[in-house]
Amino acid sequence: MQKIQNYIGGELAEPASGDYLDNFEPATGEVYSLIPDSDERDVNAAAAAAKAAFPAWGATPPEERFEILMRLVSLIERDLESLAVAESVDNGKPVSLARSIDIPRAIANFRFYATAAMHTANESYDTSLPGGGKAINYTMRHPIGVAGCISPWNLPLYLFTWKIAPALAAGCTVVAKPSEVTPMTASMLSELCIEAGLPAGVLNIVHGTGPKVGFAIVAHKDIKAISFTGGTKTGEEIARTAAPMFKKLSLELGGKNPNIIFADCKYDDMLATTVRSSFSNQGEICLCGSRIFVERPLYDRFKNDFVKRVAALKVGDPADPATDVGAIVSKQHFDKIMSYIELAKTEGGTILTGGYALSEPPASTSGGGSLNGWFIEPTIIEGLKHDCRTNLEEIFGPVVTIMPFDTEEEALSYANCVRYGLSATVWTENLSRAHRVAASLESGIIWINCWLLRDLRTPFGGVKDSGIGREGGFEAIIFFTEEKNVCIKL
Ligand code: NAD
């Protein structure tokens, strides 16, 4: 059975403990590879390698960093198909999605930051002094040193590279930890880094659990900045550990995103996109809209059509190109989602479609294994109050609730009543209303008449308990720097 290795100081390495964890294939529920059960010793080795590599990498001209990162881009492009298959097996997502979204986005992340590093600029101000004379104030930015990057399982290579690429582009060296639930493509990336000639120690990847490896990264005194994507509760723990050390923190956390549909929307676009924004990647995208509010005149028509479309989604073998909805990433997450479906029933919800684990599993995966993994039918629930637990807590699976509203104010009050503020979607052809509602929504990113469209130059991040700091755009490069402000009297 394949044993994944850590990547420390430019080499693949066994964990110090010599112990390994099981890595499950979600579609079959079977162990298919082993993950290093690393601990503080491996993180210390990785941090030492990163610290040693920093002076040279930090001083490497952006043009040279560009060349190396672009070699990595070419290698990921070359291996797109094998990476997509690995991502699908590891995560349970349809291979078509890994092929069209996850791996292309990992490529785009490295490409964007390779070029962006050459186009960042620092501010400079001419100042007139009282009584005459001038001064120039300017900002110098230096890479902060060793950065820690910790990512979740839902978009494994996409989010892993989203953190690593700006750190490397900024001139930082990195100690990174992918989710222990989906380690495979990060491990393939290690091998591509070696092939691309990334200098030893510039990127170090330590596999293992959050409490052991993640905590050791956050607590390490030589790791100056932490870029984390994951759950809000984990974000709280990270902030508690990092704050007394005054580390720079970017926390991209959970969501419970509203999708507000007004009766004047372009109906067909809205319906097709709402199916995607609800159930893509089994609803395991932090930006999926899980609370759908529909203006009352449209409610019955929407409900009927939405239920019909969703019931027709094909749930099954992630390797089958016709599959719309694959397997849930782990047994633990499967149990959590199913418990929320039960909770919704006790809270008075009516299941309109779904609500069950896959009732008739397809006979076998394309690899020949039996599909005894963790599948949940896309589930639509109505009849719940906007402030019940099902509607306030993040489920992060193929479960959405729908409910009607009468006024714009009512829709906004429903949308904003949660602790989260990651993203929101609004469907209307009324331009003034679109702007008005966008201004009042408590969300870090708002899509009007679309979903998941984003120029990588736009900073990204949630508000409220969905996070602090911004990723994306030039801001992500700036995050990995520290600044000095200089004033010189002329
Ligand atoms: P998680 O918080 O359980 O784990 C995320 C990562 O943190 C994993 O690598 C894990 O091993 C590590 N970790 C766990 N405990 C840790 C600790 N004490 N110290 C340091 N690291 C620790 O999240 P998950 O279940 O992997 O992912 C799902 C969550 O991620 C959802 O809440 C989802 O909304 C969120 N998410 C947010 C965004 C965003 O951009 N805001 C994007 C994707 C996912």
Side-chain angles (χ1 to χ4, degrees), residues 150-154 159 177-180 209-210 214-215 218 228-231 234 237-238 252-255 286 394 396 422 460:
I150 302 175
S151 60
W153 47 256
N154 63 323
L159 288 172
K177 186 191 107 54
S179 169
E180 63 273 34
T209 65
F215 178 80
V218 177
F228 168 79
T229 299
T234 315
E237 282 175 38
I238 288 175
E252 294 298 340
L253 309 176
C286 55
E394 185 183 42
F396 210 53
L422 194 50
F460 168 84

Side-chain angles (χ1 to χ4, degrees), residues 413-426:
S413 71
Y414 292 170
N416 289 339
C417 78
V418 296
R419 65 189 289 220
Y420 298 107
L422 194 50
S423 70
T425 310
V426 182

Side-chain angles (χ1 to χ4, degrees), residues 130-208:
K134 281 200 168 273
I136 299 175
N137 278 237
Y138 64 93
T139 302
M140 284 197 282
R141 286 202 174 85
H142 304 286
I144 201 162
V146 182
C149 297
I150 302 175
S151 60
W153 47 256
N154 63 323
L155 300 165
L157 196 63
Y158 173 142
L159 288 172
F160 195 58
T161 54
W162 180 233
K163 317 193 140 294
I164 290 168
L168 296 179
C172 287
T173 54
V174 174
V175 177
K177 186 191 107 54
S179 169
E180 63 273 34
V181 184
T182 52
M184 191 54 83
T185 44
S187 111
M188 293 165 80
L189 182 69
S190 312
E191 293 176 23
L192 297 183
C193 289
I194 294 170
E195 196 178 341
L198 191 70
V202 168
L203 173 63
N204 304 275
I205 300 177
V206 185
H207 293 273

Side-chain angles (χ1 to χ4, degrees), residues 414-470:
Y414 292 170
N416 289 339
C417 78
V418 296
R419 65 189 289 220
Y420 298 107
L422 194 50
S423 70
T425 310
V426 182
W427 291 93
T428 180
E429 288 300 296
N430 179 326
L431 186 62
S432 316
R433 174 158 61 197
H435 286 296
R436 204 167 51 233
V437 171
S440 299
L441 278 167
E442 296 167 358
S443 304
I445 182 161
I446 294 152
W447 283 290
I448 313 273
N449 300 335
C450 61
W451 178 69
L452 214 58
L453 293 183
R454 201 167 63 81
D455 187 310
L456 293 190
R457 287 168 294 190
T458 316
F460 168 84
V463 299
K464 294 162 81 176
D465 290 358
S466 289
I468 55 163
R470 285 289 172 276

